[in-house]
Amino acid sequence: MPEIPVHATLPWLYLASQSPRRRQLLDQLGVNHRLLLPDDGEDAEALEAERAGESPEDYVQRVTFAKWEAACARLVRRRAEAGHDWAEAPILCADTTVALGDQILAKPMDDADAARMLSLLSGRTHRVLTAVVVHGQLRLSTSHVTWRTLDDDEIRRYVASGEPMGKAGAYAIQGRSGAWTQHINGSYSGIMGLPLFETAELLKPLGWVF
């Protein structure tokens, strides 16, 4: 059974994401939410497969909308099976990718892949793209991040920490890599995984007040 929102009389939504950072950012906005995670038989990773010739902007928007559609179908199934446990409510999905030019740097497959990505980002400016979908409406946040040059030992230690795994571009801005960041042009919360401005703009028409 899903957890019950603390303030059940206030607007609330389903968050279709396992990211603790997105939960943290929704809490920061004061948005009441409960999780709507994939069923055991769902292959959520398959939705993230890249398509030939697809730009990073098109990729992240397509993937996010596909995840939102999958979450909508998931809620319909659960309501059919145990409707009293799964009330109707808006669903929020978000996805983040890192891009260096037209190259998409998704989640690393292993330590070697993480080290490769970090080496590519070293001393350069890259884009962090986060798309958000609520109630069928999508917003895209684009931020530019500049890193100082990293040496091989720094990359090795960071990979060994385990932090790069499961992160687009093999890093978390709120983690150790924050010490490498010389400049950000854009949304810090978007780089974390949920741009607060765009999210608030999507939620206002649904009854939220910020």
Side-chain angles (χ1 to χ4, degrees), residues 29-89:
L29 280 182
V31 173
N32 217 16
H33 59 280
R34 64 176 68 166
L35 296 180
L36 179 63
L37 301 181
D39 296 321
D40 290 340
E42 290 187 65
D43 186 2
E45 295 297 319
L47 298 176
E48 299 181 1
E50 296 177 32
R51 295 178 178 173
E54 193 171 32
S55 72
E57 287 79 7
D58 289 343
Y59 166 80
V60 73
Q61 291 178 85
R62 174 182 60 79
V63 168
T64 305
F65 207 87
K67 288 183 176 182
W68 179 80
E69 290 180 322
C72 289
R74 186 181 312 139
L75 181 58
V76 169
R77 289 197 305 272
R78 292 185 185 178
R79 283 179 56 78
E81 295 166 359
H84 60 285
D85 290 337
W86 297 92
E88 284 282 5

Side-chain angles (χ1 to χ4, degrees), residues 2-190:
E3 63 185 89
I4 303 301
V6 176
H7 306 293
T9 59
L10 297 178
W12 63 278
L13 55 76
Y14 289 107
L15 172 62
S17 172
Q18 301 187 58
S19 166
R21 294 167 300 283
R22 292 190 178 117
R23 298 206 73 180
Q24 173 190 341
L25 289 164
L26 284 179
D27 286 340
Q28 183 177 327
L29 280 182
V31 173
N32 217 16
H33 59 280
R34 64 176 68 166
L35 296 180
L36 179 63
L37 301 181
D39 296 321
D40 290 340
E42 290 187 65
D43 186 2
E45 295 297 319
L47 298 176
E48 299 181 1
E50 296 177 32
R51 295 178 178 173
E54 193 171 32
S55 72
E57 287 79 7
D58 289 343
Y59 166 80
V60 73
Q61 291 178 85
R62 174 182 60 79
V63 168
T64 305
F65 207 87
K67 288 183 176 182
W68 179 80
E69 290 180 322
C72 289
R74 186 181 312 139
L75 181 58
V76 169
R77 289 197 305 272
R78 292 185 185 178
R79 283 179 56 78
E81 295 166 359
H84 60 285
D85 290 337
W86 297 92
E88 284 282 5
I91 297 171
L92 184 151
C93 275
D95 195 72
T96 300
T97 196
V98 170
L100 190 61
D102 291 331
Q103 183 177 3
I104 295 170
L105 301 180
K107 299 170 185 174
M109 295 179 292
D110 51 30
D111 286 358
D113 196 32
R116 177 188 67 84
M117 293 185 188
L118 295 168
S119 296
L120 286 172
L121 298 177
S122 173
R124 304 174 76 176
T125 298
H126 61 272
R127 304 194 308 288
V128 180
L129 310 163
T130 297
V132 186
V133 175
V134 181
H135 209 56
Q137 301 298 308
L138 184 146
R139 292 289 187 98
L140 176 65
S141 168
T142 301
S143 301
H144 293 80
V145 181
T146 302
W147 279 4
R148 66 169 173 80
T149 301
L150 310 177
D151 62 41
D152 291 343
D153 284 342
E154 287 176 309
I155 292 174
R156 178 185 54 76
R157 289 194 300 270
Y158 188 60
V159 171
S161 76
E163 191 171 275
M165 304 313 295
K167 311 290 194 311
Y171 79 94
I173 189 68
Q174 73 277 10
R176 298 184 187 183
S177 67
W180 307 335
T181 304
Q182 291 181 312
H183 182 72
I184 292 174
N185 181 6
S187 168
Y188 185 84
S189 59

